[in-house]
Amino acid sequence: MTDSKKRQSARARKQRSCTKMEDRLIGDQTTFYSKAEHYWKEVPPTVDGMLGGYGSISNIDINGSTKFLQKFLGEGQGKTGTGCALDCGAGIGRITKRLLLPLFRTVDLVDVTQEFLDKARSYLGEEAKRVENYFCCGLQDFQPQPERYDVIWIQWVIGHLTDDHLVEFLRRCRSGLRPNGLIVVKDNVAFEGIIPDDVDSSVCRDLNVLHRLVSRAGLNIICEEQQQNFPEEIYQVHTLALR
């Protein structure tokens, strides 16, 4: 699951933003998740589909992510290893192919949509042999193997988790890290509060809300950057490195 989205107007943001995500959910959590699963089953398994019609930003996105991630990788004290990475909300493997496989020996993918994972096997081409696992699972239920991953990359998918499930997932990710491992969250950021999207059954949180949830998970932000050179009409996108 992954998506870049247009921003709403300031007036709409103020009208629809809120301080607690669950206050704006329509129905219960089961409905919230099932609506999202249904939405993604209708999305074509293409790069343009993964990016909500903004396939043209893929190169800019990958270049920004590569520069961000390479700052932490290498050998020596405090450096993050390059053994195995996890791609969360992997879709067809756009990030795995362009970002993670060039930097890590092996990669695991997890996504809620089986069709996307099936497509990933052909989309990744010859390099698919370095993918060890394709997990079909929602992140609210996914349990990373303890101490398996050097980097857990979570992009354009946290909006599909409730606040509590996001905190719990981040805690599980922390236990899935190897020594000096890193969790990276890259996602849309709202101007103020939390903005629900009834189309794909997700939310967009502002930075203050996201920071609080990261803190609840017992993680520290060691680096944060805003992605540059994206179209003005989409949300700001921030990348956070967590330990």
Side-chain angles (χ1 to χ4, degrees):
M1 300 182 292
T2 182
D3 203 0
S4 54
K5 297 180 180 179
K6 290 185 178 179
R7 294 179 293 185
Q8 298 184 23
S9 68
R11 181 177 182 182
R13 286 196 293 266
K14 290 180 180 179
Q15 288 176 338
R16 303 189 68 191
S17 64
C18 57
T19 58
K20 186 171 175 60
M21 181 180 127
E22 283 79 5
D23 294 340
R24 300 298 303 177
L25 294 183
I26 299 175
D28 59 17
Q29 291 182 1
T30 301
T31 301
F32 176 69
Y33 289 118
S34 64
K35 284 178 64 178
E37 288 190 35
H38 178 75
Y39 170 84
W40 286 106
K41 285 180 180 178
E42 301 300 315
V43 171
T46 63
V47 170
D48 205 49
M50 299 300 96
L51 292 174
Y54 283 88
S56 61
I57 71 171
S58 185
N59 285 343
I60 298 171
D61 170 58
I62 294 296
N63 290 339
S65 296
T66 301
K67 291 178 182 178
F68 183 88
L69 187 53
Q70 283 181 325
K71 293 185 295 186
F72 305 100
L73 304 181
E75 298 180 358
Q77 186 175 5
K79 288 291 188 177
T80 298
T82 57
C84 186
L86 174 65
D87 186 355
C88 298
I92 65 171
R94 181 186 70 92
I95 292 168
T96 290
K97 182 174 184 174
R98 298 286 308 282
L99 173 68
L100 300 178
L101 281 173
L103 296 175
F104 295 87
R105 287 190 294 275
T106 63
V107 179
D108 290 347
L109 283 70
V110 56
D111 196 275
V112 74
T113 306
Q114 185 63 53
E115 183 184 4
F116 293 167
L117 295 175
D118 292 341
K119 177 65 175 180
R121 297 173 188 272
S122 60
Y123 173 73
L124 296 174
E126 180 67 17
E127 291 300 290
K129 65 186 179 184
R130 294 196 289 119
V131 174
E132 294 193 340
N133 295 288
Y134 297 84
F135 299 109
C136 187
C137 184
L139 298 186
Q140 70 274 16
D141 299 315
F142 184 68
Q143 176 68 61
Q145 180 180 325
E147 299 184 6
R148 173 171 173 80
Y149 301 107
D150 293 295
V151 165
I152 296 178
W153 191 273
I154 310 168
Q155 181 165 347
W156 279 323
V157 68
I158 63 170
H160 285 295
L161 296 174
T162 67
D163 288 353
D164 289 343
H165 282 165
L166 175 55
V167 170
E168 292 166 5
F169 176 62
L170 290 175
R171 287 172 179 163
R172 296 195 299 273
C173 286
R174 182 179 57 180
S175 70
L177 293 178
R178 292 173 175 170
N180 297 320
L182 201 65
I183 298 168
V184 180
V185 175
K186 186 171 185 178
D187 219 299
N188 300 330
V189 172
F191 177 76
E192 181 182 6
I194 302 174
I195 304 171
D197 186 331
D198 296 332
V199 175
D200 68 356
S201 193
S202 69
V203 296
C204 184
R205 302 172 173 93
D206 71 23
L207 278 176
N208 288 333
V209 173
L210 181 54
H211 289 173
R212 287 198 298 269
L213 297 176
V214 167
S215 179
R216 279 180 56 192
L219 291 162
N220 297 312
I221 300 171
I222 63 172
C223 185
E224 180 176 339
E225 292 182 1
Q226 181 180 341
Q227 171 70 51
Q228 301 299 313
N229 301 317
F230 273 1
E232 291 185 0
E233 70 268 19
I234 70 173
Y235 283 113
Q236 287 188 6
V237 173
H238 282 242
T239 310
L240 289 70
L242 315 174
R243 276 183 177 147

